[in-house]
Amino acid sequence: MKIRRCISGAVFSLGIVLQFACENNLRDVEKISAKKMLVPVDKSIGVEIIYSDSARVKAKLITPELLNFKTEKPYIEMRKGVTVIFYDQNQQETSRVKSDYAIRRERENRVELKRNVVVTNIKGETFKSDELIWDETLKRFFSDKLVIISSKDNVLYGTSFWANEDFSYYEIVQSTGDLRLREQQGF
């Protein structure tokens, strides 16, 4: 009986110690979370942004949600996906880029498109990759990730690539795939 009382007393004492230890940890957590710095952010829903140059529309960005972080290095995040449509000088669509996620680094003039990136161009070609970077200054897209380019007759795979903004010209690194050449008349 004495042993049972000693064990019961030890278990009771251990329970009290653990209870106070948990309370101290919770207080520490509350102190740390209270010290968290708030990041100023603007949230916009149902966003459509028109990019123009010399009164001509160059591109249109559409996203269901846009978060504008006003930090030391400001950035815009589109966590619910984005579509960017590019236009030529006659306001005709030349290419369309879609992704599940995008982030625009304000000072770098750079957009990182991630997850299920799909691009279509006026020629009917489709570009697919997990990541695509748009350098707004160079007016180029590039990726160091696997890319798949498909058209009516061909499917190409590459380890990386770059393309101009309308995807009318591109270069693929280490390409493989099914390439069918059509014979042109007059040769």
Side-chain angles (χ1 to χ4, degrees):
M1 227 157 145
K2 237 180 179 180
I3 294 176
R4 284 189 182 172
R5 283 187 190 174
C6 286
I7 292 174
S8 296
V11 170
F12 179 74
S13 298
L14 182 61
I16 290 176
V17 168
L18 289 176
Q19 183 180 6
F20 285 116
C22 290
E23 284 182 23
N24 287 338
N25 287 339
L26 289 175
R27 287 185 193 135
D28 291 341
V29 169
E30 287 173 0
K31 285 178 187 176
I32 291 169
S33 65
K35 290 181 181 178
K36 275 189 180 178
M37 196 169 93
L38 296 175
V39 175
V41 61
D42 290 334
K43 180 178 180 179
S44 301
I45 305 294
V47 177
E48 187 173 306
I49 299 171
I50 306 294
Y51 294 94
S52 63
D53 183 18
S54 304
R56 288 194 176 159
V57 174
K58 297 287 188 178
K60 179 171 37 174
L61 182 144
I62 304 163
T63 183
E65 180 183 273
L66 186 138
L67 301 172
N68 188 359
F69 291 87
K70 299 177 180 184
T71 61
E72 186 177 317
K73 292 182 179 181
Y75 62 96
I76 295 172
E77 199 171 23
M78 294 155 271
R79 296 177 182 170
K80 295 184 178 181
V82 65
T83 300
V84 182
I85 305 167
F86 291 91
Y87 298 97
D88 65 12
Q89 63 274 12
N90 299 320
Q91 303 303 294
Q92 299 298 312
E93 182 177 326
T94 59
S95 60
R96 183 178 292 242
V97 181
K98 290 184 176 186
S99 72
D100 291 345
Y101 172 87
I103 184 168
R104 180 175 189 269
R105 312 249 181 231
E106 295 285 323
R107 292 188 181 156
E108 299 171 24
N109 287 332
R110 178 181 170 128
V111 179
E112 298 171 22
L113 302 136
K114 298 180 181 188
R115 297 191 307 265
N116 298 316
V117 183
V118 178
V119 180
T120 54
N121 67 12
I122 198 166
K123 294 190 268 185
E125 296 169 314
T126 302
F127 299 73
K128 294 181 180 179
S129 185
D130 285 333
E131 181 179 78
L132 191 62
I133 309 298
W134 174 23
D135 187 318
E136 295 174 30
T137 306
L138 295 176
K139 298 184 186 298
R140 282 188 176 187
F141 284 92
F142 62 91
S143 179
D144 290 330
K145 305 286 184 186
L146 178 68
V147 63
I148 302 169
I149 302 172
S150 57
S151 64
K152 182 180 176 187
D153 298 323
N154 303 312
V155 177
L156 296 175
Y157 302 89
T159 57
S160 61
F161 87 108
W162 73 267
N164 59 0
E165 267 184 343
D166 65 1
F167 283 82
S168 62
Y169 180 82
Y170 55 88
E171 292 182 11
I172 307 170
V173 176
Q174 295 181 349
S175 62
T176 61
D178 180 20
L179 181 64
R180 295 186 186 113
L181 300 175
R182 286 182 263 153
E183 191 175 314
Q184 293 183 356
Q185 293 181 357
F187 287 99

